[in-house]
Amino acid sequence: MTATLHRLPDLVPPPTELPPRTAALRADVRAFLAEEQMAGRWTPRADVWLSGWDERFSRELGRRGWLGMTIPKEYGGHGASALDRYVVTEELLAAGAPVAAHWIADRQIGPTLLRFGTEEQRQRFLPGIARGEVYFGIGMSEPDAGSDLAAVRTRADRVDGGWELTGTKVWTSGAHHAHAFFALARSAPRDERHRHAGLSQFIVLLDAPGVQIRPIPLLTGAHHFNEVVFDRVFVPDDMVLGEIGAGWKQVTSELAFERSGPERFLSTFPLLVALVGELAGSAGAEREIGGLVARLWTLRRMSLAVAGSLESGEAPELAAAVVKELGTRYENEVIDVARLLVTTPPDPGAEAGFARLLADAVLHAPGFTLRGGTNEVLRGIVARGLGLR
Amino acid sequence: MTTSVNQELQELAESVFGDAASSDTGFDAALWRTLEETGLARLTLPAGAGGSEGTLEDAAVVLAAAGAHAARVPLVETDLLAGWLLHAAGVPLPDGPLTAVAGELEVDGTTVRGELRRVPWARAVAGVAVLTGAHVVLLDPGAAEITEGTNLAEEPRDTVRVDGPAAAVVAAPDGVAAELRLRGALGRALLLAGAARGALAAGVRYAGERVQFGRPIGRFQAVQQQLALAAGEVAAASAAASAAARAAADAGFAAPSTRLAVAAAKSRTGEAAGAVARIAHQVHGAIGFTREHDLRLWTTRLWAWREEDGSDAEWNAELGSTVLAAGPSGLWPLITGS
Ligand SMILES: Cc1cc2nc3c(=O)[nH]c(=O)nc-3n(C[C@H](O)[C@H](O)[C@H](O)COP(=O)(O)OP(=O)(O)OC[C@H]3O[C@@H](n4cnc5c(N)ncnc54)[C@H](O)[C@@H]3O)c2cc1C
């Protein structure tokens, strides 16, 4: 009896090596981060891309040319490759540096404006993004539209010279500090047979008349995300993003950038570093630490492979979903192993160190496998890729 | 994407291994002949040793296909291990399949004596390369006493007893012990990644065929989610194994970054092996638990291979020691290789 092999899709792109020129860049970023830490400007924290809002730090990165790196020079960027940007972002995250302020703008708003924005929109926003002075949010989720994003109800009504938005966005990270966000809204009535039609994206300035921003405190009490209510908010025609009616396609292409970066497995890396510090000189934990490092090393190779594939113009949606699904579970595994190996209790009041990192990691962990598409939804994408749905 | 050279090699490998998977046991002589004819049997060896001068990345493509098709041939042993070791030591290579092992033999001039355990494919090969202490020894299996044994997948893992003249005894070149171990782990990791892919393919196929409650079980979200988890493990195993092959091809086996890459790859593929086998069996229900069904060709290999050439536990311990020695500030540079 012989068995022929069922054909499977490519689950991961071929390995990507970072170009040798990035070594010098990495060394520069490391030296800068060491200098900042020596000067006591910030303390390494877990989940910094969610909670480390520090505009001084973002402007300093902008000054050094480490934001908007892939934005062309004519828009104030640096015309560098996505792999150069990869090196900078992974160094920042590994160090636990406060990157939240510019994170969304640098990661997905810049590339999306380059892809779908008008010339005027690019000139208006991109230079500020690259300087680390202009911050954005993401206005996708709503009370009744979470995983089922196509269920958004925020309405965009055609008015003279533009559109009028009415509705409610929730879980909007950083809306209380940000200058603007991309709001996904219904510009044509819902049609059950074509659920993805009639959606559009709008650039909404968060200080526009009719926009109300209210905090939704996290379980720690921290103010991170918000409810953003629109009461007939006027958006002029020149602030429509891309095409009216093409919102679904645009939003899903944005997600490819959102899903495979190093922030999807490094949120608890500073805790792993502290754990290695706690274990220094003791024996018996080698296997657990080795297991975590083997998984981390592998995730980084996978994430780099996706970055290399994105850089060569492909959109490996399946591979990106795989990286995020594995990576965000890994972020939780670091916590599990740390708790097994070290009995120091978590202390949210500690200034720094293992106890504080563990506290932050535990309290932030529920978000890892939710934000940017839940793990169940990601597995659904993988199942579709396998031909099961 | 894949470079065009590797694309061609991938197609060649697929066609060579295409219907290799079979419930037969023992050496697949017909497949071996094809591997020799196509130059895949000694892919990475120099032309002087009858090889095709391929890279380790080429080998990665071929070995992943061999694992995916549950091929019954000592490909890693012949090409990556014995062929390399004998050539490095300056011993002319016998024709045919070979195997290699590190073990303890008493060496007295050209006479050797002792017992080697769990030697892969010993009963089927033309030569056994042994790294023992400061020597590389070539044994003719015809002049040794072979007691048959197997691993969990019923692949030959034999005991070889010798007491007499060896076919060759030479001084071992520097550093071969460490490299032999890494080569074994890399080869095994690539086979594991392939076998994991084979088990997943079987699961996906079965989920599309088996009907319960009036529809293919693959329509149930619970089954989809399990197979998606298995796909994640397969992706991780493939990424780790091929990145380790790339590291070895680029920097050589002596580089610390290659050592870390191979350790991580063997550990990660070993971890994936358990998860993928578990899910593949769960999806198949009782039929997959039978001798008659093919699923076992992949799952028994996953269980066998994860323990061979250093289990995930062994490689994790080694990796962990390296990390703890480097300390908190050394961890990230280890991961990035700079
Ligand atoms: C820290 C954090 C920051 C965020 N920031 C933003 C932001 O800035 N902007 C923004 O727009 N959104 C943001 N979000 C929202 C995020 O995108 C949503 O939480 C996410 O898409 C899930 O939606 P939900 O919370 O409504 O959960 P639901 O969709 O209600 O899901 C609840 C549970 O049901 C499961 N489920 C739902 N549908 C299915 C299905 N079809 N199959 C299987 N299981 C299913 C989910 O996996 C989950 O386990 C943020 C979320 C978090 C946690």
Side-chain angles (χ1 to χ4, degrees), chain A residues 1-4 6 8 15 17 26 30 91 94 286-287 290-291 294-295 297-298 302 314 326 329 376 379 388-389, chain B residues 1 21-22 197 201 205 218-219 224-225 228-229 232 236 239 246 260-261 267-268 271 292 294 316 320-321 332 336 338:
Chain A
M1 182 175 57
T2 61
T4 51
H6 181 78
L8 294 176
E17 284 312 305
R26 186 186 297 283
R30 261 186 210 170
E91 287 296 323
E286 290 81 3
R287 281 187 184 167
R295 282 180 221 143
W297 180 87
T298 303
M302 298 173 83
E314 292 166 54
L326 280 174
R329 281 191 292 125
E376 289 73 23
R379 295 200 284 267
L388 295 169
R389 25 188 309 244
Chain B
M1 287 300 294
S22 151
R197 193 176 169 86
R205 175 191 192 144
R219 296 270 166 238
Q224 292 175 359
Q225 296 264 315
L229 285 172
R246 168 104 185 223
L260 183 123
S267 157
R268 191 63 187 84
E271 185 192 3
E292 172 202 0
D294 280 332
N316 278 345
S321 307
W332 182 245
T336 59
S338 57

Short mmCIF file of all heavy atoms in Angstrom, two decimals, chain A residues 1-4 6 8 15 17 26 30 91 94 286-287 290-291 294-295 297-298 302 314 326 329 376 379 388-389, chain B residues 1 21-22 197 201 205 218-219 224-225 228-229 232 236 239 246 260-261 267-268 271 292 294 316 320-321 332 336 338:
data_model
loop_
_atom_site.label_atom_id
_atom_site.label_comp_id
_atom_site.label_asym_id
_atom_site.label_seq_id
_atom_site.Cartn_x
_atom_site.Cartn_y
_atom_site.Cartn_z
N MET A 1 0.85 -1.19 0.00
CA MET A 1 0.00 0.00 0.00
C MET A 1 0.89 1.25 0.00
O MET A 1 1.86 1.33 0.74
CB MET A 1 -0.85 -0.02 1.27
CG MET A 1 -1.80 1.14 1.34
SD MET A 1 -2.88 0.99 2.79
CE MET A 1 -1.74 0.88 4.12
N THR A 2 0.56 2.19 -0.83
CA THR A 2 1.31 3.44 -0.82
C THR A 2 0.35 4.60 -0.60
O THR A 2 -0.82 4.53 -0.95
CB THR A 2 2.03 3.69 -2.16
OG1 THR A 2 1.05 3.76 -3.19
CG2 THR A 2 3.04 2.63 -2.46
N ALA A 3 0.87 5.62 0.02
CA ALA A 3 0.04 6.79 0.31
C ALA A 3 0.61 8.01 -0.41
O ALA A 3 1.80 8.28 -0.30
CB ALA A 3 0.04 7.04 1.81
N THR A 4 -0.22 8.69 -1.15
CA THR A 4 0.27 9.94 -1.75
C THR A 4 -0.05 11.06 -0.78
O THR A 4 -1.01 11.00 -0.03
CB THR A 4 -0.40 10.24 -3.10
OG1 THR A 4 -1.80 10.13 -2.91
CG2 THR A 4 0.08 9.29 -4.15
N HIS A 6 -1.22 14.54 0.58
CA HIS A 6 -2.17 15.62 0.30
C HIS A 6 -1.39 16.94 0.20
O HIS A 6 -0.49 17.21 0.99
CB HIS A 6 -3.15 15.67 1.47
CG HIS A 6 -4.22 16.70 1.35
ND1 HIS A 6 -5.32 16.52 0.55
CD2 HIS A 6 -4.36 17.91 1.92
CE1 HIS A 6 -6.10 17.58 0.64
NE2 HIS A 6 -5.53 18.44 1.46
N LEU A 8 -0.42 20.68 0.71
CA LEU A 8 -0.70 21.73 1.68
C LEU A 8 -0.17 23.05 1.15
O LEU A 8 0.78 23.06 0.36
CB LEU A 8 0.00 21.42 3.01
CG LEU A 8 -0.47 20.19 3.79
CD1 LEU A 8 0.40 20.01 5.01
CD2 LEU A 8 -1.92 20.36 4.20
N PRO A 15 13.55 31.06 4.57
CA PRO A 15 14.29 31.89 5.54
C PRO A 15 14.80 33.19 4.92
O PRO A 15 15.18 33.22 3.76
CB PRO A 15 15.48 31.01 5.94
CG PRO A 15 15.17 29.63 5.46
CD PRO A 15 14.14 29.73 4.41
N GLU A 17 17.59 36.27 5.65
CA GLU A 17 18.71 36.76 6.46
C GLU A 17 18.67 38.28 6.44
O GLU A 17 18.33 38.88 5.42
CB GLU A 17 20.05 36.31 5.88
CG GLU A 17 20.41 34.86 6.14
CD GLU A 17 20.24 34.41 7.57
OE1 GLU A 17 20.82 35.03 8.49
OE2 GLU A 17 19.53 33.41 7.78
N ARG A 26 21.99 48.17 14.02
CA ARG A 26 21.65 47.53 15.29
C ARG A 26 22.57 48.04 16.41
O ARG A 26 22.10 48.35 17.51
CB ARG A 26 21.78 46.01 15.15
CG ARG A 26 21.31 45.24 16.37
CD ARG A 26 21.60 43.75 16.24
NE ARG A 26 20.92 43.09 15.15
CZ ARG A 26 19.63 42.75 15.15
NH1 ARG A 26 18.87 43.06 16.18
NH2 ARG A 26 19.10 42.13 14.12
N ARG A 30 21.38 49.96 19.78
CA ARG A 30 21.73 49.41 21.10
C ARG A 30 22.49 50.42 21.95
O ARG A 30 22.22 50.57 23.14
CB ARG A 30 22.60 48.17 20.93
CG ARG A 30 21.79 46.93 21.06
CD ARG A 30 22.64 45.69 21.05
NE ARG A 30 21.84 44.63 20.46
CZ ARG A 30 22.28 43.45 20.10
NH1 ARG A 30 23.56 43.16 20.27
NH2 ARG A 30 21.48 42.56 19.58
N GLU A 91 14.94 45.77 18.38
CA GLU A 91 15.84 46.26 19.44
C GLU A 91 15.06 47.06 20.49
O GLU A 91 15.29 46.91 21.69
CB GLU A 91 16.96 47.12 18.85
CG GLU A 91 18.02 46.31 18.10
CD GLU A 91 18.79 45.34 19.02
OE1 GLU A 91 19.07 45.69 20.18
OE2 GLU A 91 19.11 44.22 18.54
N ALA A 94 12.91 44.56 22.57
CA ALA A 94 13.73 43.70 23.42
C ALA A 94 14.22 44.47 24.63
O ALA A 94 14.36 43.91 25.72
CB ALA A 94 14.89 43.12 22.63
N GLU A 286 17.92 24.85 33.38
CA GLU A 286 18.42 24.96 32.01
C GLU A 286 17.39 24.53 30.97
O GLU A 286 17.23 25.17 29.94
CB GLU A 286 19.69 24.12 31.82
CG GLU A 286 20.92 24.64 32.54
CD GLU A 286 20.93 24.26 34.02
OE1 GLU A 286 20.01 23.53 34.45
OE2 GLU A 286 21.85 24.70 34.72
N ARG A 287 16.70 23.42 31.25
CA ARG A 287 15.78 22.90 30.24
C ARG A 287 14.64 23.86 29.96
O ARG A 287 14.27 24.07 28.80
CB ARG A 287 15.19 21.58 30.69
CG ARG A 287 16.16 20.47 30.46
CD ARG A 287 15.56 19.12 30.76
NE ARG A 287 16.62 18.16 30.59
CZ ARG A 287 16.58 16.90 30.98
NH1 ARG A 287 15.49 16.45 31.56
NH2 ARG A 287 17.59 16.12 30.79
N GLY A 290 16.03 26.85 28.13
CA GLY A 290 16.38 26.45 26.76
C GLY A 290 15.14 26.29 25.90
O GLY A 290 15.11 26.71 24.74
N GLY A 291 14.08 25.74 26.48
CA GLY A 291 12.83 25.57 25.73
C GLY A 291 12.26 26.92 25.31
O GLY A 291 11.82 27.10 24.16
N ALA A 294 14.50 28.32 22.53
CA ALA A 294 14.32 27.64 21.24
C ALA A 294 13.06 28.14 20.55
O ALA A 294 13.04 28.41 19.34
CB ALA A 294 14.23 26.13 21.45
N ARG A 295 11.99 28.31 21.32
CA ARG A 295 10.75 28.81 20.72
C ARG A 295 10.89 30.25 20.25
O ARG A 295 10.41 30.62 19.18
CB ARG A 295 9.61 28.74 21.73
CG ARG A 295 9.08 27.34 21.87
CD ARG A 295 7.96 27.31 22.88
NE ARG A 295 8.14 26.11 23.67
CZ ARG A 295 7.91 26.00 24.96
NH1 ARG A 295 7.45 27.01 25.65
NH2 ARG A 295 8.12 24.87 25.57
N TRP A 297 13.68 31.81 19.39
CA TRP A 297 14.56 31.85 18.22
C TRP A 297 13.75 31.47 16.97
O TRP A 297 13.87 32.11 15.92
CB TRP A 297 15.72 30.87 18.43
CG TRP A 297 16.68 30.83 17.29
CD1 TRP A 297 17.77 31.65 17.10
CD2 TRP A 297 16.64 29.93 16.16
NE1 TRP A 297 18.40 31.30 15.93
CE2 TRP A 297 17.74 30.27 15.34
CE3 TRP A 297 15.80 28.89 15.78
CZ2 TRP A 297 18.01 29.59 14.15
CZ3 TRP A 297 16.07 28.22 14.60
CH2 TRP A 297 17.16 28.57 13.79
N THR A 298 12.91 30.46 17.10
CA THR A 298 12.11 30.01 15.96
C THR A 298 11.09 31.06 15.55
O THR A 298 10.92 31.34 14.35
CB THR A 298 11.38 28.70 16.33
OG1 THR A 298 12.36 27.73 16.71
CG2 THR A 298 10.58 28.17 15.15
N MET A 302 10.63 32.93 11.94
CA MET A 302 9.36 32.93 11.20
C MET A 302 8.93 34.36 10.88
O MET A 302 8.52 34.66 9.75
CB MET A 302 8.26 32.25 12.02
CG MET A 302 8.52 30.79 12.32
SD MET A 302 7.30 30.09 13.46
CE MET A 302 5.99 29.69 12.31
N GLU A 314 5.06 40.46 -1.46
CA GLU A 314 4.00 39.48 -1.28
C GLU A 314 3.19 39.81 -0.02
O GLU A 314 3.63 40.59 0.81
CB GLU A 314 4.60 38.08 -1.19
CG GLU A 314 5.20 37.66 -2.53
CD GLU A 314 6.08 36.44 -2.41
OE1 GLU A 314 5.58 35.45 -1.89
OE2 GLU A 314 7.24 36.50 -2.82
N LEU A 326 1.00 31.72 17.22
CA LEU A 326 2.04 31.08 18.03
C LEU A 326 2.73 32.08 18.96
O LEU A 326 3.01 31.77 20.11
CB LEU A 326 3.13 30.49 17.12
CG LEU A 326 2.89 29.15 16.43
CD1 LEU A 326 4.07 28.89 15.49
CD2 LEU A 326 2.79 28.02 17.43
N ARG A 329 0.76 33.20 22.10
CA ARG A 329 0.71 32.15 23.12
C ARG A 329 2.06 32.03 23.80
O ARG A 329 2.15 31.78 25.00
CB ARG A 329 0.27 30.82 22.51
CG ARG A 329 -1.25 30.77 22.29
CD ARG A 329 -1.75 29.39 21.95
NE ARG A 329 -1.29 28.96 20.64
CZ ARG A 329 -0.62 27.85 20.42
NH1 ARG A 329 -0.30 27.04 21.41
NH2 ARG A 329 -0.24 27.53 19.19
N GLU A 376 -8.60 32.55 18.09
CA GLU A 376 -9.59 31.67 17.46
C GLU A 376 -9.83 32.12 16.02
O GLU A 376 -9.93 31.29 15.11
CB GLU A 376 -10.91 31.70 18.25
CG GLU A 376 -10.84 31.01 19.61
CD GLU A 376 -10.05 31.80 20.65
OE1 GLU A 376 -9.90 33.04 20.52
OE2 GLU A 376 -9.54 31.16 21.60
N ARG A 379 -6.86 31.17 13.91
CA ARG A 379 -6.87 29.74 13.56
C ARG A 379 -7.90 29.47 12.47
O ARG A 379 -7.72 28.58 11.64
CB ARG A 379 -7.14 28.89 14.81
CG ARG A 379 -6.00 29.00 15.83
CD ARG A 379 -5.98 27.85 16.82
NE ARG A 379 -7.00 27.92 17.83
CZ ARG A 379 -6.85 28.46 19.05
NH1 ARG A 379 -5.69 29.01 19.38
NH2 ARG A 379 -7.83 28.45 19.92
N LEU A 388 -10.07 23.90 4.68
CA LEU A 388 -11.12 23.28 5.49
C LEU A 388 -12.39 24.12 5.54
O LEU A 388 -13.41 23.64 6.00
CB LEU A 388 -10.62 23.03 6.91
CG LEU A 388 -9.49 22.01 7.03
CD1 LEU A 388 -8.88 22.02 8.42
CD2 LEU A 388 -9.99 20.61 6.70
N ARG A 389 -12.32 25.40 5.15
CA ARG A 389 -13.54 26.19 5.15
C ARG A 389 -13.58 27.14 3.95
O ARG A 389 -12.63 27.29 3.27
CB ARG A 389 -13.75 27.04 6.41
CG ARG A 389 -12.53 27.42 7.18
CD ARG A 389 -12.86 28.08 8.53
NE ARG A 389 -13.82 29.17 8.39
CZ ARG A 389 -13.55 30.47 8.66
NH1 ARG A 389 -12.36 30.82 9.07
NH2 ARG A 389 -14.48 31.38 8.53
N MET B 1 10.45 34.56 -2.93
CA MET B 1 10.11 33.17 -2.59
C MET B 1 11.32 32.26 -2.81
O MET B 1 12.44 32.71 -2.94
CB MET B 1 8.92 32.70 -3.44
CG MET B 1 7.59 33.31 -3.04
SD MET B 1 7.08 32.96 -1.34
CE MET B 1 6.80 31.21 -1.38
N ALA B 21 6.07 6.49 0.56
CA ALA B 21 5.40 6.11 1.81
C ALA B 21 4.73 4.75 1.63
O ALA B 21 3.97 4.55 0.68
CB ALA B 21 4.37 7.16 2.20
N SER B 22 5.04 3.84 2.52
CA SER B 22 4.54 2.49 2.36
C SER B 22 4.59 1.78 3.69
O SER B 22 5.41 2.10 4.55
CB SER B 22 5.43 1.77 1.33
OG SER B 22 5.46 0.40 1.59
N ARG B 197 4.91 17.62 8.54
CA ARG B 197 4.12 18.06 7.40
C ARG B 197 3.31 16.88 6.83
O ARG B 197 2.14 17.04 6.48
CB ARG B 197 5.06 18.63 6.34
CG ARG B 197 4.35 19.40 5.27
CD ARG B 197 5.37 20.03 4.31
NE ARG B 197 4.66 20.55 3.15
CZ ARG B 197 4.12 21.76 3.09
NH1 ARG B 197 4.22 22.58 4.12
NH2 ARG B 197 3.47 22.16 2.02
N ALA B 201 -0.71 16.75 6.62
CA ALA B 201 -1.37 16.52 5.32
C ALA B 201 -2.37 15.38 5.44
O ALA B 201 -3.48 15.45 4.91
CB ALA B 201 -0.32 16.22 4.25
N ARG B 205 -6.41 15.87 4.92
CA ARG B 205 -7.08 15.06 3.92
C ARG B 205 -8.22 14.24 4.54
O ARG B 205 -9.33 14.20 4.02
CB ARG B 205 -6.04 14.12 3.30
CG ARG B 205 -6.63 13.14 2.33
CD ARG B 205 -5.57 12.12 2.01
NE ARG B 205 -6.00 11.32 0.89
CZ ARG B 205 -5.19 10.87 -0.05
NH1 ARG B 205 -3.91 11.16 0.01
NH2 ARG B 205 -5.63 10.15 -1.02
N GLY B 218 -14.10 18.03 8.92
CA GLY B 218 -13.33 19.27 8.76
C GLY B 218 -14.20 20.51 8.73
O GLY B 218 -13.70 21.63 8.81
N ARG B 219 -15.51 20.33 8.63
CA ARG B 219 -16.42 21.49 8.68
C ARG B 219 -16.69 21.91 10.12
O ARG B 219 -17.23 22.98 10.36
CB ARG B 219 -17.76 21.16 8.02
CG ARG B 219 -17.67 20.88 6.57
CD ARG B 219 -17.83 22.16 5.74
NE ARG B 219 -17.42 21.91 4.38
CZ ARG B 219 -16.47 22.57 3.74
NH1 ARG B 219 -15.87 23.57 4.32
NH2 ARG B 219 -16.13 22.26 2.53
N GLN B 224 -11.31 22.12 12.93
CA GLN B 224 -10.51 23.14 12.23
C GLN B 224 -9.48 23.78 13.15
O GLN B 224 -8.32 23.97 12.78
CB GLN B 224 -11.43 24.24 11.69
CG GLN B 224 -12.35 23.78 10.59
CD GLN B 224 -13.34 24.88 10.17
OE1 GLN B 224 -13.34 25.98 10.73
NE2 GLN B 224 -14.18 24.56 9.19
N GLN B 225 -9.92 24.10 14.37
CA GLN B 225 -9.01 24.79 15.29
C GLN B 225 -7.84 23.87 15.67
O GLN B 225 -6.70 24.33 15.78
CB GLN B 225 -9.78 25.22 16.54
CG GLN B 225 -10.86 26.26 16.25
CD GLN B 225 -10.41 27.69 16.49
OE1 GLN B 225 -9.79 27.98 17.49
NE2 GLN B 225 -10.70 28.58 15.56
N ALA B 228 -5.52 23.74 12.74
CA ALA B 228 -4.79 25.01 12.63
C ALA B 228 -3.64 25.05 13.63
O ALA B 228 -2.55 25.54 13.31
CB ALA B 228 -5.74 26.18 12.85
N LEU B 229 -3.87 24.53 14.82
CA LEU B 229 -2.77 24.47 15.80
C LEU B 229 -1.65 23.57 15.28
O LEU B 229 -0.47 23.91 15.40
CB LEU B 229 -3.27 23.92 17.14
CG LEU B 229 -4.11 24.87 17.99
CD1 LEU B 229 -4.70 24.13 19.18
CD2 LEU B 229 -3.25 26.04 18.47
N GLY B 232 0.37 25.39 12.78
CA GLY B 232 1.32 26.31 13.42
C GLY B 232 2.58 25.58 13.83
O GLY B 232 3.71 26.08 13.65
N ALA B 236 6.35 26.15 12.43
CA ALA B 236 7.49 26.42 13.32
C ALA B 236 8.60 25.41 13.07
O ALA B 236 9.78 25.77 13.00
CB ALA B 236 7.03 26.38 14.78
N ALA B 239 10.27 26.20 9.71
CA ALA B 239 11.04 27.44 9.78
C ALA B 239 12.33 27.21 10.56
O ALA B 239 13.41 27.65 10.15
CB ALA B 239 10.22 28.55 10.44
N ARG B 246 20.27 26.88 6.85
CA ARG B 246 20.82 28.11 6.26
C ARG B 246 21.99 28.63 7.10
O ARG B 246 23.03 29.04 6.58
CB ARG B 246 19.69 29.13 6.18
CG ARG B 246 20.11 30.52 5.87
CD ARG B 246 19.80 30.84 4.43
NE ARG B 246 20.29 32.15 4.09
CZ ARG B 246 19.61 33.03 3.37
NH1 ARG B 246 18.42 32.72 2.91
NH2 ARG B 246 20.12 34.19 3.07
N LEU B 260 23.78 27.30 18.14
CA LEU B 260 22.52 27.72 18.74
C LEU B 260 21.35 27.40 17.81
O LEU B 260 20.30 26.91 18.24
CB LEU B 260 22.57 29.22 19.05
CG LEU B 260 21.32 29.75 19.74
CD1 LEU B 260 21.68 30.41 21.07
CD2 LEU B 260 20.56 30.72 18.87
N ALA B 261 21.55 27.65 16.53
CA ALA B 261 20.48 27.42 15.57
C ALA B 261 20.10 25.94 15.51
O ALA B 261 18.91 25.58 15.51
CB ALA B 261 20.91 27.92 14.18
N SER B 267 15.30 21.13 19.10
CA SER B 267 14.35 21.26 20.20
C SER B 267 12.95 21.60 19.68
O SER B 267 11.96 20.98 20.07
CB SER B 267 14.84 22.35 21.16
OG SER B 267 13.76 22.86 21.90
N ARG B 268 12.89 22.57 18.79
CA ARG B 268 11.57 23.04 18.33
C ARG B 268 10.87 21.98 17.47
O ARG B 268 9.66 21.81 17.54
CB ARG B 268 11.72 24.35 17.54
CG ARG B 268 10.39 25.04 17.26
CD ARG B 268 9.70 25.45 18.54
NE ARG B 268 8.35 25.98 18.35
CZ ARG B 268 7.26 25.22 18.25
NH1 ARG B 268 7.37 23.90 18.28
NH2 ARG B 268 6.07 25.78 18.12
N GLU B 271 9.53 19.36 19.79
CA GLU B 271 8.31 19.80 20.45
C GLU B 271 7.11 19.70 19.50
O GLU B 271 6.03 19.22 19.86
CB GLU B 271 8.50 21.24 20.92
CG GLU B 271 7.32 21.74 21.72
CD GLU B 271 7.35 23.25 21.95
OE1 GLU B 271 8.26 23.94 21.44
OE2 GLU B 271 6.44 23.74 22.63
N GLU B 292 -3.30 -1.01 9.97
CA GLU B 292 -3.68 -0.94 8.57
C GLU B 292 -3.55 0.48 8.00
O GLU B 292 -3.27 0.67 6.83
CB GLU B 292 -5.13 -1.42 8.48
CG GLU B 292 -5.79 -1.25 7.14
CD GLU B 292 -7.31 -1.23 7.29
OE1 GLU B 292 -7.82 -1.34 8.42
OE2 GLU B 292 -7.96 -1.08 6.26
N ASP B 294 -2.23 4.33 7.26
CA ASP B 294 -0.92 4.93 6.99
C ASP B 294 -0.47 5.99 8.00
O ASP B 294 0.70 6.36 8.00
CB ASP B 294 -0.95 5.63 5.63
CG ASP B 294 -0.79 4.63 4.50
OD1 ASP B 294 -0.16 3.58 4.75
OD2 ASP B 294 -1.30 4.91 3.40
N ASN B 316 17.58 21.41 24.87
CA ASN B 316 17.13 22.53 25.71
C ASN B 316 18.10 22.76 26.86
O ASN B 316 18.39 23.91 27.20
CB ASN B 316 15.73 22.24 26.27
CG ASN B 316 14.66 22.56 25.26
OD1 ASN B 316 14.91 23.23 24.26
ND2 ASN B 316 13.45 22.09 25.52
N GLY B 320 19.91 26.15 27.37
CA GLY B 320 19.68 26.85 28.63
C GLY B 320 20.98 27.17 29.34
O GLY B 320 21.16 28.26 29.87
N SER B 321 21.92 26.21 29.31
CA SER B 321 23.23 26.48 29.94
C SER B 321 23.94 27.63 29.25
O SER B 321 24.53 28.49 29.90
CB SER B 321 24.14 25.26 29.86
OG SER B 321 23.50 24.15 30.37
N TRP B 332 19.73 38.58 24.56
CA TRP B 332 19.26 39.12 23.27
C TRP B 332 20.33 39.00 22.18
O TRP B 332 20.03 38.56 21.06
CB TRP B 332 18.75 40.55 23.46
CG TRP B 332 18.21 41.14 22.20
CD1 TRP B 332 18.70 42.21 21.52
CD2 TRP B 332 17.06 40.69 21.44
NE1 TRP B 332 17.95 42.45 20.40
CE2 TRP B 332 16.94 41.54 20.33
CE3 TRP B 332 16.15 39.65 21.60
CZ2 TRP B 332 15.92 41.39 19.37
CZ3 TRP B 332 15.14 39.50 20.65
CH2 TRP B 332 15.05 40.35 19.56
N THR B 336 19.89 37.27 18.41
CA THR B 336 20.09 37.97 17.14
C THR B 336 21.40 37.59 16.47
O THR B 336 21.63 37.96 15.33
CB THR B 336 20.09 39.50 17.33
OG1 THR B 336 21.14 39.85 18.23
CG2 THR B 336 18.75 39.97 17.89
N SER B 338 24.26 38.73 17.20
CA SER B 338 25.23 39.86 17.21
C SER B 338 24.98 40.74 18.41
O SER B 338 23.88 40.78 18.93
CB SER B 338 25.10 40.71 15.96
OG SER B 338 23.78 41.18 15.84
#
